[in-house]
Amino acid sequence: MSNRRLVIAGTGSGVGKTTLTIGLMAALRQAGYRVQGFKCGPDYIDPTYHTAVTERTSRNIDSWMLEHDMVREIVARTSEDADISIMEGVMGFFDGKNPLTNEGTTAEISLITNSPVLLVVNCASMARSAAAIVKGFQQFLPEANIVGVIANRVGSEGHYKLVKAAIEQECHIPVVGYLKRNDDLTIPERHLGLIPSIERGELTPFFEQLGKLVHDTIDIEKVYELALAPKIEINDPIFTKPSVPQVKIAVARDAAFNFYYEENFELLKAYGAELVEFSPLKGETVPQDADGLYIGGGFPEEFAETLAQQIDVKNSVRAAIQKGIPTLAECGGFMFLTDAIVTTDDTCHEMVGLIPGQVRMQTKLAALGYREVTGKPGNFLFKGDIRAKGHEFHYSTFHSEKEFSPAYDTKGMRGMKEEGYMNNNLIAGYTHFHFGSSTEMVENWVEQCKAVKKERRDAV
């Protein structure tokens, strides 16, 4: 296993951390290293860039949603054959769930994994002040191992030398390089249309250009040297795979539905599920022999017209759920199962029609944040009075004139609320779950699939 890993942390949002992280990954690849990517926090978009650049599946690590032993295991297990792991932080180094603690922060991830930190500083219009920023980060949490700095958005090489001299004199750590201020150097198609662009290789020239820019002004070999870290020891591994799957769960996965944590899939497999992917956008229907159904989040609103025309797909989804196969639909999947999605231009697109009501898109954010979740009585995922963790992030609201049974009680920063929709073996809502927060959810799901499968077999 590689003992080189590095947390790329920003001093705050807007420092260009994501672009620089991708550039570092590209430059390391160009130098011949095998790079494993990680993303701190509940982010589905950035890991897709990591995956495209490194040609290895990037992983989410979240110290609030997951037990710390699980975070360590994810990092150790997936880095085994990599030369170096690059762990992109979330927001600023000390920004997380609670402004009064380091809970859920990139700083906490660095401590949990005992990983050195490379601090990215926006140095536009400053010189010696950059040293004050770095020293403040060093003193705020002395046990965090900040080993170096990258100066981002400098005006010139001369400007960089001023920043470098100040930081190295006052903070006693190396400044390993810089990127110039360049408004054109931004990630294209950051939001919508991301998956198709990456799958078609359209971003490859951008990655190559970004890697070369990083290689020209950042000491890649020094970065590799600074990444040396102690080995992560794993005592009781959680991710094991049985030799014979017991149930088959169909997973909707394409450009419209792609918000999944890779560890969710691996936990399902570890508890006895075989996963079979199908693409609603391509007209692929739910496999006839599926024992369960998983429809994740994504951008169904961007493909609402195409989805509305997939009559066979909608019929197959409706038939499978009405047949009773245990189903989880998260956010975009929840939207797909409603009567209709109304886009911002006020066009109504007919969806599956199993959840009575419409989803209406809006231009402002409707919900954002972590959620602590308990299930309503009858929710098969939450048998045994368990709790789980997840998050919400959506620009739509759900409207229904009919009474229905909510699926969850969720707790966020603004208090408790009822959330989602439940009907027999259908559980749906805006909440995105990380199954690592409650592996009992996975066990309950697989057991429910086995029970329904047995009932169907006995009825024949």
Side-chain angles (χ1 to χ4, degrees), residues 122-377:
N122 181 353
C123 294
S125 304
M126 69 171 71
R128 185 167 170 78
S129 294
I133 292 172
V134 175
K135 180 165 281 192
F137 273 71
Q138 288 176 312
Q139 294 180 351
F140 194 80
L141 188 66
E143 56 266 41
N145 186 18
I146 300 176
V147 296
V149 173
I150 293 179
N152 203 19
R153 296 180 177 169
V154 301
S156 65
E157 185 177 355
H159 177 200
Y160 163 66
K161 290 179 178 178
L162 298 176
V163 169
K164 178 179 173 69
I167 292 175
E168 292 186 344
Q169 173 182 282
E170 300 297 335
C171 305
H172 311 293
I173 55 176
V175 182
V176 299
Y178 68 96
L179 281 182
K180 289 184 181 180
R181 184 167 57 241
N182 184 346
D183 293 336
D184 295 329
L185 195 63
T186 55
I187 300 173
E189 299 191 46
R190 175 74 187 275
H191 182 51
L192 306 177
L194 166 65
I195 299 301
S197 294
I198 286 183
E199 288 180 348
R200 291 195 298 263
E202 292 173 3
L203 299 185
T204 300
F206 173 77
F207 295 149
E208 292 174 350
Q209 176 197 14
L210 189 55
K212 184 178 184 304
L213 286 172
V214 166
H215 204 282
D216 287 346
T217 57
I218 295 175
D219 188 343
I220 294 301
E221 293 308 317
K222 185 66 174 178
V223 169
Y224 185 76
E225 175 189 324
L226 292 173
L228 188 63
K231 181 179 179 180
I232 298 176
E233 300 291 344
I234 303 300
N235 298 319
D236 299 311
I238 300 166
F239 296 91
T240 57
K241 186 177 178 181
S243 56
V244 180
Q246 303 167 55
V247 296
K248 183 177 292 186
I249 294 179
V251 179
R253 199 173 192 187
D254 55 25
F257 307 102
N258 53 75
F259 287 0
Y260 296 100
Y261 294 121
E262 193 66 26
E263 271 60 40
N264 281 10
F265 291 150
E266 295 194 359
L267 283 168
L268 283 166
K269 293 174 185 176
Y271 278 85
E274 174 189 354
L275 305 182
V276 181
E277 296 182 2
F278 70 102
S279 169
L281 278 180
K282 294 179 181 178
E284 296 172 0
T285 57
V286 179
Q288 290 286 332
D289 58 349
D291 304 305
L293 177 60
Y294 189 8
I295 312 177
F299 302 120
E301 69 275 15
E302 291 302 308
F303 304 94
E305 183 176 358
T306 301
L307 289 172
Q309 295 170 354
Q310 299 291 0
I311 305 301
D312 290 344
V313 174
K314 293 190 294 183
N315 286 341
S316 77
V317 170
R318 190 182 306 111
I321 295 174
Q322 288 176 337
K323 190 167 58 177
I325 69 171
T327 299
L328 173 61
E330 298 176 327
C331 201
F334 164 64
M335 296 163 64
F336 182 50
L337 297 183
T338 65
D339 291 330
I341 294 176
V342 181
T343 50
T344 53
D345 62 0
D346 210 31
T347 302
C348 183
H349 301 276
E350 186 177 342
M351 294 292 119
V352 175
L354 278 175
I355 298 176
Q358 292 183 341
V359 165
R360 295 176 187 169
M361 301 304 305
Q362 57 188 41
T363 55
K364 65 179 181 179
L365 196 61
L368 170 66
Y370 282 124
R371 299 290 185 263
E372 296 177 72
V373 188
T374 54
K376 291 290 191 180

Side-chain angles (χ1 to χ4, degrees), residues 395-413:
Y395 282 82
S396 68
T397 54
F398 175 65
H399 303 266
S400 179
E401 297 179 356
K402 296 182 179 179
E403 290 188 7
F404 60 88
S405 298
Y408 323 112
D409 287 315
T410 65
K411 180 183 178 183
M413 289 187 68

